[in-house]
């Protein structure tokens, strides 16, 4: 018995493997490869796919899975953070785009109904493509990632009223007010239901399922929560994609979210690939070849217009130029829900056959261009910002560099860029140690909340030299870069190093592969979460095996020295002469606090025999009298003194045990 759908899926994935392999060799994004697969295999290409409708149904499951995983990673707490962006930026983007396209179409001779409907189509962007690209680039949690997601959420909500209004644009009848009120009531009911499930139902359900230790049962439970919520929202007239996103938010509130995500990812990738193939199948290559200039010119116009309007919609949120441009470029394409809406317009006579084909061709071209637009967006933003600086900006920066640091202002302080979890912990540690610090954050709401608590936090973009100058970049001792955007991190490192060649830059990054370019740009230290997580995991393992704490600390010091030194050595030529720890591989400068239990108390520096027994040299001593540089051998050590020492990491770790009072004073390194 022949199953046409099975043969079509085999053809799709077989052809996709070949196309993706070629795209990989040519460094073309995989989404473009899937679109090309659909063009080749679809009814307008070689006609290899027969069950077109069935493939489209499977493709819709791909959108459901994608939005479900986005919801799991995002969480209800993050959604509440962007509620202002949803209402303000989302509504502005949709309605301003609708208005501009409406007047353009009227000027081109379209009737009012068609002009409004085309405004509907152009106002929507591709949730599936944009979020997938942001996920791949690890930019969902960046300011532009969160704002982009917020606008896409509003678009998914507004598409339903658009579908209700479409028949009226064609002269149909119906009570629009009653329909919208009923829809709003249903939507409110769904939101309340989702909130209650997230708090009381799903955590208990998943706990009982997890207790069975059945992988199959857990997977089926996750899938049914996803599909049932999507079906519920679609059955009451809302977007099924919105329902899938809400289902993900429900799961995100439980402690089983990570396990659920790992189980659902393979299914998401398979079905999402079918979605992109199905979009490519709509594309008529003959129509493009008949008038390529017109199609590409209109596509370019739409990309430009939508990028400008989406960026303008972001301005009221108070974000800097960088975020505004990245959001605008990310939302510049036509969305997948525009295809669904366009079919409704064809059925009601709002789009003629020729106009519909032009829309399909232009929409697919904008979607195919999206991966390249998002990939090139950071470079474009850098170019725009460099043009804003100009020659006068360079002269002003040179004058600021020559200006001495004044007492009472920012001086010898820490600049913390990014006030997420890492930034908060650094600020807390600096506050406890009595070190002056200033925080730079791009989320205006966070700035307002933290300033009310008394934090020295300021709003601004760290890639802008003027902002760094206001924070005293030329007088700072250390700059901590703790932001989630890897591209922005590289830009900030470059700008900070250019502004102050002597400042010590510590950058946080997600993966160890990003360390080398950051060192080359001028970072002094790069802390990869990937590496530190592995160190922390193994530390916990050693503790469970009852390995002494001193030995664990010594081991961790050696591992960190070996791990970081491997990448530091790649960028030694980019260091500066005053960075001793970078120029002398394996050697570090560290400070050791003398505790009240240390056997060093009351001894002179010579009597401690730190150099003979531990191999470390004391460079300075800070006591009640102040800082004594290059101390004499007869200086006496007291409780709470701070010793600045130089040596190898394992030697410093051993000496630290002595200053803490964990080993007797006569112990030697060999013992």
């Amino acid at each position: 018995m022949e199953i046409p759908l099975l043969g079509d899926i085999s053809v799709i994935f077989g052809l996709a493997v070949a196309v993706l392999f070629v795209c990989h060799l040519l460094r073309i994004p995989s989404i473009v490869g899937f679109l090309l697969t659909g063009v080749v295999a679809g009814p307008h290409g070689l006609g290899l796919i027969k069950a077109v409708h069935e493939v489209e149904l499977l493709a819709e499951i791909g959108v459901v899975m994608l939005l479900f995983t986005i919801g799991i990673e995002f969480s209800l707490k993050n959604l509440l953070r962007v509620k202002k962006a949803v209402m303000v930026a989302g509504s502005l983007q949709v309605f301003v785009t609708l208005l501009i396209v409406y007047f353009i179409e009227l000027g081109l001779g379209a009737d009012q109904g068609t002009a409004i409907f085309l405004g509907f189509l152009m106002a929507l962007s591709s949730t599936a493509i944009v979020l997938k690209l942001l996920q791949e680039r690890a930019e969902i949690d960046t300011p532009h990632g969160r704002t982009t997601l917020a606008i896409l959420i509003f678009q998914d909500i507004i598409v339903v009223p658009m579908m209700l209004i479409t028949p009226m644009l064609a002269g149909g009848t119906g009570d629009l007010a009653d329909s919208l009120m009923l829809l709003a009531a249903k939507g409110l009911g769904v939101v309340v239901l989702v909130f209650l499930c997230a708090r009381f139902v799903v955590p208990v359900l998943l706990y009982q399922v997890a207790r069975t230790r059945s992988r199959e049962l857990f997977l089926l439970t996750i899938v049914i929560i996803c599909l049932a919520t999507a079906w519920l929202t679609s059955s009451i007239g809302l977007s099924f994609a919105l329902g899938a996103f809400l289902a993900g938010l429900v799961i995100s509130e439980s402690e089983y979210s990570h396990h659920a995500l790992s189980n659902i990812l393979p299914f998401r990738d398979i079905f999402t690939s079918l979605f992109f193939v199905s979009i490519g199948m709509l594309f008529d290559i003959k129509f493009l070849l008949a008038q390529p200039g017109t199609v590409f010119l209109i596509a370019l116009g739409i990309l430009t217009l939508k990028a400008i309007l989406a960026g303008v919609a972001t301005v009221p949120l108070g974000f800097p130029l960088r975020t505004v441009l990245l959001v605008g470029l990310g939302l510049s394409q036509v969305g997948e829900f525009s295809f669904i809406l366009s079919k409704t317009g064809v059925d009601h006579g709002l789009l003629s056959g020729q106009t519909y084909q032009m829309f399909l061709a232009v929409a697919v071209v904008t979607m195919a261009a999206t991966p390249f637009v998002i990939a090139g967006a950071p470079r474009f933003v850098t170019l725009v910002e460099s043009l804003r600086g100009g020659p006068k900006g360079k002269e002003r920066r040179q004058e600021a560099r020559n200006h001495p640091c004044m007492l009472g202002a920012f001086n010898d302080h820490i600049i913390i860029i990014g006030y997420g979890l890492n930034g908060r912990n650094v600020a807390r540690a600096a506050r406890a140690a009595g070190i002056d610090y200033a925080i730079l954050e791009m989320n205006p709401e966070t700035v307002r909340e933290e300033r009310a608590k008394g934090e020295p936090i300021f709003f601004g973009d760290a890639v802008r030299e003027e902002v760094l100058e206001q924070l005293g970049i030329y007088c700072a001792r250390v700059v901590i870069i703790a932001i989630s955007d890897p591209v922005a991190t590289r830009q900030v490192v470059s700008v900070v190093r250019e502004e102050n060649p002597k400042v010590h830059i510590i950058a946080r990054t997600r993966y160890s592969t990003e360390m080398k370019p950051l060192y080359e740009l001028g970072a002094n230290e790069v802390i990869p979460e990937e590496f530190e997580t592995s160190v922390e995991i193994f530390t916990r393992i050693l503790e469970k095996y009852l390995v002494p704490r001193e030995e664990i600390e010594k081991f961790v010091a050696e591992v960190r020295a070996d791990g970081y030194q491997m990448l530091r050595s790649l960028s030694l030529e980019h260091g500066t002469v005053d960075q001793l720890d970078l120029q002398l591989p394996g050697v570090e400068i560290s400070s050791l606090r003398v505790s009240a239990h240390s056997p060093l108390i009351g001894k002179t520096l010579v009597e401690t025999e730190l150099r003979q027994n531990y191999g470390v040299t004391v460079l300075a001593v800070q006591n009640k009298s102040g800082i004594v540089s290059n101390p004499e051998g007869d200086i006496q050590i007291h409780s709470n003194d701070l010793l600045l020492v130089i040596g190898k990491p394992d030697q410093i770790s051993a000496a630290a045990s002595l200053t803490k009072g964990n080993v007797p004073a006569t112990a030697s390194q060999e013992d």
Side-chain angles (χ1 to χ4, degrees), residues 76 193-211 218 221-222 225 247 249-257:
L76 276 171
L193 180 62
V194 166
F195 179 79
L196 293 176
C197 288
R199 292 298 184 199
F200 306 109
V201 179
V202 171
V204 176
L205 173 64
L206 291 181
Y207 170 72
Q208 295 297 332
V209 171
R211 287 182 60 191
F218 187 86
T221 304
I222 295 300
I225 291 174
L249 290 178
V250 169
I251 300 293
S252 72
E253 293 302 302
S254 73
E255 59 267 39
Y256 309 101
S257 58

Side-chain angles (χ1 to χ4, degrees), residues 323-351:
T323 302
V324 169
L325 292 176
L326 290 176
V327 171
L329 292 168
L331 295 172
S332 59
Q333 73 293 129
V334 177
E336 60 272 358
F337 288 111
S338 296
F339 291 102
I340 300 173
L341 194 59
S342 67
K343 294 178 182 178
T344 306
V346 172
D347 294 339
H348 288 85
L350 289 171
L351 291 181

Side-chain angles (χ1 to χ4, degrees), residues 162-215:
M162 287 179 177
M163 295 190 73
L164 293 175
I165 296 172
T166 297
M168 298 186 63
L169 297 177
T173 58
D175 194 334
L176 180 61
D178 289 345
S179 298
L180 291 178
M181 288 180 62
L182 179 61
L183 185 65
K186 290 178 179 179
L188 181 61
V190 168
V191 171
V192 173
L193 180 62
V194 166
F195 179 79
L196 293 176
C197 288
R199 292 298 184 199
F200 306 109
V201 179
V202 171
V204 176
L205 173 64
L206 291 181
Y207 170 72
Q208 295 297 332
V209 171
R211 287 182 60 191
T212 66
R213 297 183 181 275
S214 171
R215 181 180 177 183

Side-chain angles (χ1 to χ4, degrees), residues 33 74 81 95 147 165 189 201 229 250 265 421 477 506 510 557 599-600:
F74 201 66
R81 270 191 217 160
F95 293 117
T147 307
I165 296 172
V201 179
T229 310
V250 169
L265 282 178
L421 178 61
R477 179 183 292 193
I506 303 176
R510 181 164 296 183
L600 299 181

